[in-house]
Amino acid sequence: MPHYMIEVGYTAAGWAALVKSPQDRIEAVRPTVEKAGGKIEAGYYAFGEYDIVIIAELPDNASAAGLAIAFAAGGALRGIKTTPLLTAGEAVEAMKKAGGTGYKPAG
């Protein structure tokens, strides 16, 4: 099953709600991810542009997009970014395919 990195950033109002009622949002969304046919492999709170990073297995891009839309529609996020991930083997296969395309750079 494909893997995705899902990064979310909370709004000030989202953080205010979590300060008022602290909870582990990674565990809170686990059932939602599972209902989409996926599995959370790892989840972390982070410093920087995004506040939570989740590595999840999901059946396909439509499932990943559906989760992103659902999370964004909740209103507590200032941003969400979903990145498809490749295994090392998939990356090597992509490199081999790139080599066989015949592409020539300009210049």
Side-chain angles (χ1 to χ4, degrees), residues 3 6-7 16-17 19 22-23 25 27-28 41 48 54 62 64 68 70 72 85 88 99-100:
H3 288 79
I6 303 166
E7 299 169 282
V19 167
Q23 58 185 280
R25 291 304 300 164
E27 287 306 313
E41 290 194 352
I54 291 174
L85 302 173

Side-chain angles (χ1 to χ4, degrees), residues 15-36:
W15 275 118
L18 288 170
V19 167
K20 184 176 179 180
S21 179
Q23 58 185 280
D24 182 346
R25 291 304 300 164
I26 296 166
E27 287 306 313
V29 301
R30 188 178 297 278
T32 304
V33 172
E34 290 172 355
K35 189 170 184 177

Side-chain angles (χ1 to χ4, degrees), residues 52-80:
I52 291 180
V53 177
I54 291 174
I55 305 298
E57 260 189 315
L58 290 158
D60 50 41
N61 287 339
S63 299
L67 276 179
I69 293 166
F71 293 165
L77 303 181
R78 61 173 168 72
I80 183 164

